[in-house]
Amino acid sequence: MRKGEAASAPGPMQGIKVLDIGTMIAAPLAGGVLADQGAEVIKVETPGLGDLMRYVGANCNGVGAMYQNVNRGKRSIALDLKTQEGVEVLHRLVEGVDVVIHNFRPGVAERLHADYATLSALNPQLVYLSVTGFGHEGPMSQKAAYDNVVQTFAGVAMSQTDPRVGEPSQYQQLFADKLTAHTACQAVTAALFARERGAGGQHVQLAMVDAVASFLWMDKAGTAQFKSADANLGLQASADPRLIKFKNGYAQAAPVSDSDFHGWCAAFGVDSSDPRVATLVDRASNNEVVKDISNQILENALELDVDETLARLEAADVPCAKAFVLHELPDHPQIQANGLFVETEHPLAGPMVEPQNPVHFSKTPSGCGSPSPALGADTTAILSELGYSEQDIARLREGTVVS
């Protein structure tokens, strides 16, 4: 594992300035990815409390792990957008940035004078990203939306039905937030690319439910893709989605091709000579036979050693992997070879292990941004850069417009 020397790498987004006025994860994580890739990101937070993500999840000496991962590499200004002077500061900031991102409910940005119409009038080249839970319009647009609620509505729970018990389940992680954030980040870079080609600034809208539903659709929609009554589910059981439980661990395999399938069966001591499962076409027509074989493999696995069986699968070139606990990955030889994790030092939390940006750019390497900022840590510096005098800044502090 490397030290966090990549934190100072310029990155492909060097020179792009982003103003993050969002909260929690869905929009701010998009800004965090852009910061990892070299953008200068200023995070606007409410004086006194700041982003609620500062207080959620694991923490060390007051530093939240999730806040650090979402907001590393950013600068923080504590600014009250509910005051006229706070809005004036915001507008001066907007004049000098390329991107504004937020995840307010529809109508909130307008009340804060931070909507696209207002800000684009100040900066016509602005790329303005607004993320909502259910959509910018429509009967559910005003509903509050958090990750688990979005997962349920957008089809995650029902697409994750456990075949053994028939009960739906959800991802035990912030799946919708993270997926939305990475979709948002790609959308921002696409809009910036379009601007470079002469399109100018634009409003980029993204609903969390849309990001999740479109992500699930390809392999989880079943026959809903087709309007024809002739549609059928096709091959289902060849690559059993269930984890394989061994006597001493868990693993997974993906026997898709003919050689995969027969190597999979042989590794578990299961006969696959039945002509009904000889080829992919045969298996597609005999799902129940394949299901029976899968069940036999799962039963045999209970008496087998996970590492020995994986060795047999690998010898047959069957795609497979052992199930690891997440905290084991930084020490795994493959992940170390990938260079994903780096050791960083936070001034309050001390030494940390973090994944740096997973994308490798050959000419503009990205990295792992500087430590997440304390609330308002850069307020004075940012205001000074905007042309505010020491007296102006003192007055704003006295009026609790900034902190």
Side-chain angles (χ1 to χ4, degrees), residues 273-312:
S273 61
D274 190 324
R276 292 176 296 177
V277 297
T279 69
L280 182 64
V281 174
D282 295 324
R283 295 192 295 279
S285 303
N286 294 282
N287 281 326
E288 288 303 314
V289 180
V290 177
K291 185 176 180 180
D292 289 341
I293 289 176
S294 296
N295 288 334
Q296 188 176 349
I297 284 173
L298 291 174
E299 183 178 347
N300 289 4
L302 295 172
E303 305 298 324
L304 298 175
D305 179 88
V306 61
D307 294 311
E308 292 175 358
T309 309
L310 283 173
R312 291 195 292 271

Short mmCIF file of all heavy atoms in Angstrom, two decimals, residues 273-312:
data_model
loop_
_atom_site.label_atom_id
_atom_site.label_comp_id
_atom_site.label_asym_id
_atom_site.label_seq_id
_atom_site.Cartn_x
_atom_site.Cartn_y
_atom_site.Cartn_z
N SER A 273 -22.85 -34.81 -17.73
CA SER A 273 -22.89 -35.51 -19.02
C SER A 273 -24.28 -35.54 -19.65
O SER A 273 -24.43 -35.96 -20.79
CB SER A 273 -22.38 -36.94 -18.85
OG SER A 273 -23.22 -37.65 -17.95
N ASP A 274 -25.30 -35.10 -18.92
CA ASP A 274 -26.66 -35.07 -19.45
C ASP A 274 -26.69 -34.22 -20.73
O ASP A 274 -26.28 -33.05 -20.70
CB ASP A 274 -27.59 -34.47 -18.40
CG ASP A 274 -29.07 -34.61 -18.76
OD1 ASP A 274 -29.39 -34.52 -19.95
OD2 ASP A 274 -29.89 -34.80 -17.84
N PRO A 275 -27.13 -34.75 -21.85
CA PRO A 275 -27.14 -33.99 -23.11
C PRO A 275 -28.01 -32.73 -23.03
O PRO A 275 -27.83 -31.81 -23.84
CB PRO A 275 -27.70 -34.98 -24.13
CG PRO A 275 -28.40 -36.04 -23.33
CD PRO A 275 -27.65 -36.13 -22.03
N ARG A 276 -28.90 -32.66 -22.07
CA ARG A 276 -29.77 -31.49 -21.94
C ARG A 276 -29.02 -30.27 -21.42
O ARG A 276 -29.53 -29.14 -21.47
CB ARG A 276 -30.95 -31.80 -21.03
CG ARG A 276 -31.94 -32.80 -21.60
CD ARG A 276 -33.02 -33.15 -20.61
NE ARG A 276 -32.47 -33.84 -19.43
CZ ARG A 276 -33.19 -34.21 -18.37
NH1 ARG A 276 -34.50 -33.94 -18.33
NH2 ARG A 276 -32.61 -34.85 -17.35
N VAL A 277 -27.77 -30.49 -20.93
CA VAL A 277 -26.97 -29.35 -20.46
C VAL A 277 -25.64 -29.28 -21.20
O VAL A 277 -24.70 -28.63 -20.74
CB VAL A 277 -26.73 -29.43 -18.93
CG1 VAL A 277 -28.05 -29.36 -18.18
CG2 VAL A 277 -25.96 -30.71 -18.57
N ALA A 278 -25.56 -29.91 -22.34
CA ALA A 278 -24.29 -29.99 -23.06
C ALA A 278 -23.80 -28.62 -23.54
O ALA A 278 -22.62 -28.31 -23.44
CB ALA A 278 -24.43 -30.94 -24.25
N THR A 279 -24.70 -27.81 -24.07
CA THR A 279 -24.32 -26.52 -24.61
C THR A 279 -25.17 -25.42 -24.01
O THR A 279 -26.20 -25.68 -23.36
CB THR A 279 -24.47 -26.47 -26.14
OG1 THR A 279 -25.88 -26.51 -26.46
CG2 THR A 279 -23.76 -27.66 -26.79
N LEU A 280 -24.76 -24.18 -24.26
CA LEU A 280 -25.52 -23.04 -23.77
C LEU A 280 -26.94 -23.04 -24.31
O LEU A 280 -27.91 -22.76 -23.57
CB LEU A 280 -24.81 -21.74 -24.18
CG LEU A 280 -25.42 -20.42 -23.71
CD1 LEU A 280 -25.38 -20.32 -22.19
CD2 LEU A 280 -24.69 -19.24 -24.34
N VAL A 281 -27.09 -23.41 -25.57
CA VAL A 281 -28.42 -23.48 -26.17
C VAL A 281 -29.26 -24.56 -25.48
O VAL A 281 -30.44 -24.36 -25.19
CB VAL A 281 -28.32 -23.76 -27.69
CG1 VAL A 281 -29.71 -23.98 -28.29
CG2 VAL A 281 -27.60 -22.61 -28.38
N ASP A 282 -28.62 -25.71 -25.20
CA ASP A 282 -29.35 -26.78 -24.50
C ASP A 282 -29.78 -26.32 -23.11
O ASP A 282 -30.93 -26.55 -22.69
CB ASP A 282 -28.46 -28.02 -24.36
CG ASP A 282 -28.10 -28.64 -25.70
OD1 ASP A 282 -28.97 -28.62 -26.60
OD2 ASP A 282 -26.96 -29.12 -25.84
N ARG A 283 -28.89 -25.65 -22.41
CA ARG A 283 -29.22 -25.22 -21.04
C ARG A 283 -30.31 -24.16 -21.03
O ARG A 283 -31.12 -24.11 -20.11
CB ARG A 283 -27.95 -24.72 -20.34
CG ARG A 283 -26.90 -25.82 -20.13
CD ARG A 283 -25.80 -25.38 -19.19
NE ARG A 283 -24.98 -24.28 -19.71
CZ ARG A 283 -23.99 -24.44 -20.57
NH1 ARG A 283 -23.68 -25.65 -21.04
NH2 ARG A 283 -23.28 -23.39 -20.98
N ALA A 284 -30.33 -23.33 -22.08
CA ALA A 284 -31.36 -22.31 -22.16
C ALA A 284 -32.75 -22.92 -22.29
O ALA A 284 -33.75 -22.32 -21.89
CB ALA A 284 -31.09 -21.38 -23.35
N SER A 285 -32.80 -24.14 -22.84
CA SER A 285 -34.09 -24.83 -23.01
C SER A 285 -34.42 -25.76 -21.86
O SER A 285 -35.51 -26.35 -21.83
CB SER A 285 -34.07 -25.62 -24.33
OG SER A 285 -33.79 -24.79 -25.43
N ASN A 286 -33.49 -25.90 -20.92
CA ASN A 286 -33.70 -26.86 -19.83
C ASN A 286 -33.30 -26.24 -18.48
O ASN A 286 -32.45 -26.75 -17.76
CB ASN A 286 -32.89 -28.13 -20.09
CG ASN A 286 -33.38 -28.90 -21.30
OD1 ASN A 286 -34.39 -29.60 -21.25
ND2 ASN A 286 -32.66 -28.75 -22.40
N ASN A 287 -33.92 -25.11 -18.18
CA ASN A 287 -33.56 -24.38 -16.96
C ASN A 287 -33.74 -25.21 -15.69
O ASN A 287 -32.97 -25.08 -14.74
CB ASN A 287 -34.39 -23.10 -16.85
CG ASN A 287 -33.85 -21.98 -17.74
OD1 ASN A 287 -32.64 -21.88 -17.95
ND2 ASN A 287 -34.74 -21.17 -18.29
N GLU A 288 -34.76 -26.05 -15.67
CA GLU A 288 -35.02 -26.83 -14.46
C GLU A 288 -33.91 -27.85 -14.22
O GLU A 288 -33.53 -28.12 -13.07
CB GLU A 288 -36.37 -27.55 -14.57
CG GLU A 288 -37.56 -26.60 -14.45
CD GLU A 288 -37.53 -25.81 -13.15
OE1 GLU A 288 -37.28 -26.42 -12.08
OE2 GLU A 288 -37.75 -24.58 -13.20
N VAL A 289 -33.36 -28.42 -15.30
CA VAL A 289 -32.26 -29.36 -15.15
C VAL A 289 -31.03 -28.64 -14.61
O VAL A 289 -30.33 -29.13 -13.71
CB VAL A 289 -31.93 -30.04 -16.50
CG1 VAL A 289 -30.78 -31.03 -16.33
CG2 VAL A 289 -33.16 -30.75 -17.06
N VAL A 290 -30.76 -27.47 -15.15
CA VAL A 290 -29.63 -26.67 -14.68
C VAL A 290 -29.82 -26.27 -13.22
O VAL A 290 -28.87 -26.30 -12.43
CB VAL A 290 -29.45 -25.41 -15.57
CG1 VAL A 290 -28.32 -24.55 -15.03
CG2 VAL A 290 -29.18 -25.80 -17.00
N LYS A 291 -31.04 -25.95 -12.87
CA LYS A 291 -31.33 -25.59 -11.48
C LYS A 291 -31.05 -26.76 -10.54
O LYS A 291 -30.50 -26.58 -9.44
CB LYS A 291 -32.79 -25.13 -11.36
CG LYS A 291 -33.15 -24.61 -9.99
CD LYS A 291 -34.59 -24.10 -9.98
CE LYS A 291 -34.96 -23.57 -8.60
NZ LYS A 291 -36.36 -23.05 -8.58
N ASP A 292 -31.41 -27.95 -10.96
CA ASP A 292 -31.15 -29.13 -10.13
C ASP A 292 -29.64 -29.34 -9.94
O ASP A 292 -29.18 -29.68 -8.84
CB ASP A 292 -31.76 -30.39 -10.78
CG ASP A 292 -33.29 -30.39 -10.70
OD1 ASP A 292 -33.83 -29.64 -9.86
OD2 ASP A 292 -33.92 -31.12 -11.49
N ILE A 293 -28.88 -29.13 -11.00
CA ILE A 293 -27.42 -29.26 -10.90
C ILE A 293 -26.85 -28.20 -9.97
O ILE A 293 -25.98 -28.49 -9.14
CB ILE A 293 -26.79 -29.16 -12.31
CG1 ILE A 293 -27.11 -30.41 -13.12
CG2 ILE A 293 -25.28 -28.94 -12.22
CD1 ILE A 293 -26.62 -30.37 -14.55
N SER A 294 -27.37 -26.99 -10.07
CA SER A 294 -26.92 -25.91 -9.19
C SER A 294 -27.18 -26.25 -7.74
O SER A 294 -26.33 -26.04 -6.86
CB SER A 294 -27.64 -24.60 -9.55
OG SER A 294 -27.30 -24.17 -10.84
N ASN A 295 -28.34 -26.80 -7.47
CA ASN A 295 -28.67 -27.17 -6.09
C ASN A 295 -27.75 -28.28 -5.58
O ASN A 295 -27.36 -28.28 -4.41
CB ASN A 295 -30.13 -27.62 -6.01
CG ASN A 295 -31.10 -26.46 -6.15
OD1 ASN A 295 -30.76 -25.31 -5.84
ND2 ASN A 295 -32.31 -26.75 -6.61
N GLN A 296 -27.41 -29.21 -6.46
CA GLN A 296 -26.49 -30.29 -6.07
C GLN A 296 -25.11 -29.73 -5.76
O GLN A 296 -24.44 -30.16 -4.80
CB GLN A 296 -26.41 -31.34 -7.17
CG GLN A 296 -25.64 -32.58 -6.77
CD GLN A 296 -25.64 -33.65 -7.86
OE1 GLN A 296 -26.38 -33.55 -8.84
NE2 GLN A 296 -24.81 -34.66 -7.69
N ILE A 297 -24.67 -28.76 -6.55
CA ILE A 297 -23.37 -28.12 -6.30
C ILE A 297 -23.37 -27.40 -4.96
O ILE A 297 -22.41 -27.51 -4.18
CB ILE A 297 -23.04 -27.15 -7.46
CG1 ILE A 297 -22.58 -27.96 -8.68
CG2 ILE A 297 -21.98 -26.12 -7.06
CD1 ILE A 297 -22.39 -27.15 -9.93
N LEU A 298 -24.45 -26.69 -4.67
CA LEU A 298 -24.54 -25.98 -3.39
C LEU A 298 -24.51 -26.97 -2.22
O LEU A 298 -23.91 -26.69 -1.17
CB LEU A 298 -25.81 -25.14 -3.35
CG LEU A 298 -25.86 -23.94 -4.30
CD1 LEU A 298 -27.24 -23.29 -4.24
CD2 LEU A 298 -24.79 -22.93 -3.95
N GLU A 299 -25.14 -28.10 -2.40
CA GLU A 299 -25.15 -29.11 -1.35
C GLU A 299 -23.76 -29.71 -1.16
O GLU A 299 -23.29 -29.88 -0.02
CB GLU A 299 -26.16 -30.20 -1.70
CG GLU A 299 -26.30 -31.27 -0.62
CD GLU A 299 -27.35 -32.31 -0.98
OE1 GLU A 299 -28.12 -32.08 -1.92
OE2 GLU A 299 -27.37 -33.37 -0.31
N ASN A 300 -23.09 -30.05 -2.25
CA ASN A 300 -21.74 -30.62 -2.15
C ASN A 300 -20.75 -29.64 -1.54
O ASN A 300 -19.82 -30.04 -0.82
CB ASN A 300 -21.25 -31.03 -3.55
CG ASN A 300 -21.96 -32.24 -4.08
OD1 ASN A 300 -22.89 -32.76 -3.46
ND2 ASN A 300 -21.56 -32.72 -5.25
N ALA A 301 -20.93 -28.35 -1.84
CA ALA A 301 -19.98 -27.33 -1.37
C ALA A 301 -19.90 -27.28 0.15
O ALA A 301 -18.85 -26.93 0.71
CB ALA A 301 -20.38 -25.96 -1.92
N LEU A 302 -20.96 -27.64 0.82
CA LEU A 302 -20.98 -27.59 2.28
C LEU A 302 -19.93 -28.50 2.92
O LEU A 302 -19.52 -28.28 4.06
CB LEU A 302 -22.37 -27.97 2.80
CG LEU A 302 -23.50 -27.01 2.43
CD1 LEU A 302 -24.86 -27.61 2.83
CD2 LEU A 302 -23.30 -25.65 3.09
N GLU A 303 -19.47 -29.50 2.17
CA GLU A 303 -18.46 -30.43 2.67
C GLU A 303 -17.07 -30.16 2.11
O GLU A 303 -16.14 -30.90 2.39
CB GLU A 303 -18.88 -31.88 2.32
CG GLU A 303 -20.27 -32.27 2.80
CD GLU A 303 -20.37 -32.20 4.32
OE1 GLU A 303 -19.38 -32.53 5.00
OE2 GLU A 303 -21.46 -31.80 4.81
N LEU A 304 -16.93 -29.10 1.32
CA LEU A 304 -15.67 -28.86 0.63
C LEU A 304 -14.92 -27.66 1.22
O LEU A 304 -15.52 -26.76 1.79
CB LEU A 304 -15.92 -28.59 -0.87
CG LEU A 304 -16.54 -29.75 -1.66
CD1 LEU A 304 -16.85 -29.29 -3.08
CD2 LEU A 304 -15.61 -30.95 -1.68
N ASP A 305 -13.59 -27.66 1.01
CA ASP A 305 -12.76 -26.54 1.41
C ASP A 305 -12.82 -25.46 0.33
O ASP A 305 -12.67 -25.75 -0.86
CB ASP A 305 -11.31 -27.01 1.59
CG ASP A 305 -10.38 -25.89 1.98
OD1 ASP A 305 -10.24 -25.64 3.19
OD2 ASP A 305 -9.81 -25.25 1.07
N VAL A 306 -13.03 -24.22 0.72
CA VAL A 306 -13.23 -23.14 -0.24
C VAL A 306 -11.98 -22.91 -1.10
O VAL A 306 -12.07 -22.76 -2.32
CB VAL A 306 -13.68 -21.85 0.46
CG1 VAL A 306 -12.66 -21.35 1.46
CG2 VAL A 306 -13.99 -20.76 -0.56
N ASP A 307 -10.80 -22.90 -0.50
CA ASP A 307 -9.58 -22.61 -1.26
C ASP A 307 -9.22 -23.75 -2.21
O ASP A 307 -8.80 -23.50 -3.35
CB ASP A 307 -8.42 -22.32 -0.31
CG ASP A 307 -8.64 -21.05 0.49
OD1 ASP A 307 -8.98 -20.02 -0.13
OD2 ASP A 307 -8.48 -21.07 1.72
N GLU A 308 -9.39 -24.98 -1.77
CA GLU A 308 -9.11 -26.11 -2.64
C GLU A 308 -10.05 -26.14 -3.84
O GLU A 308 -9.63 -26.42 -4.97
CB GLU A 308 -9.23 -27.42 -1.85
CG GLU A 308 -8.15 -27.59 -0.78
CD GLU A 308 -8.37 -28.84 0.06
OE1 GLU A 308 -9.39 -29.54 -0.18
OE2 GLU A 308 -7.55 -29.11 0.97
N THR A 309 -11.31 -25.83 -3.59
CA THR A 309 -12.29 -25.84 -4.69
C THR A 309 -12.02 -24.70 -5.67
O THR A 309 -12.11 -24.86 -6.89
CB THR A 309 -13.71 -25.74 -4.14
OG1 THR A 309 -13.91 -26.74 -3.13
CG2 THR A 309 -14.74 -25.94 -5.26
N LEU A 310 -11.67 -23.54 -5.13
CA LEU A 310 -11.33 -22.42 -6.01
C LEU A 310 -10.13 -22.73 -6.88
O LEU A 310 -10.07 -22.34 -8.05
CB LEU A 310 -11.07 -21.16 -5.18
CG LEU A 310 -12.30 -20.43 -4.64
CD1 LEU A 310 -11.88 -19.31 -3.69
CD2 LEU A 310 -13.15 -19.87 -5.77
N ALA A 311 -9.18 -23.46 -6.33
CA ALA A 311 -8.01 -23.86 -7.11
C ALA A 311 -8.44 -24.74 -8.29
O ALA A 311 -7.90 -24.61 -9.40
CB ALA A 311 -7.01 -24.59 -6.23
N ARG A 312 -9.38 -25.64 -8.05
CA ARG A 312 -9.87 -26.49 -9.15
C ARG A 312 -10.63 -25.65 -10.19
O ARG A 312 -10.49 -25.88 -11.39
CB ARG A 312 -10.78 -27.60 -8.60
CG ARG A 312 -10.04 -28.65 -7.78
CD ARG A 312 -10.88 -29.89 -7.56
NE ARG A 312 -12.01 -29.64 -6.69
CZ ARG A 312 -11.99 -29.75 -5.36
NH1 ARG A 312 -10.85 -30.10 -4.74
NH2 ARG A 312 -13.06 -29.52 -4.64
#
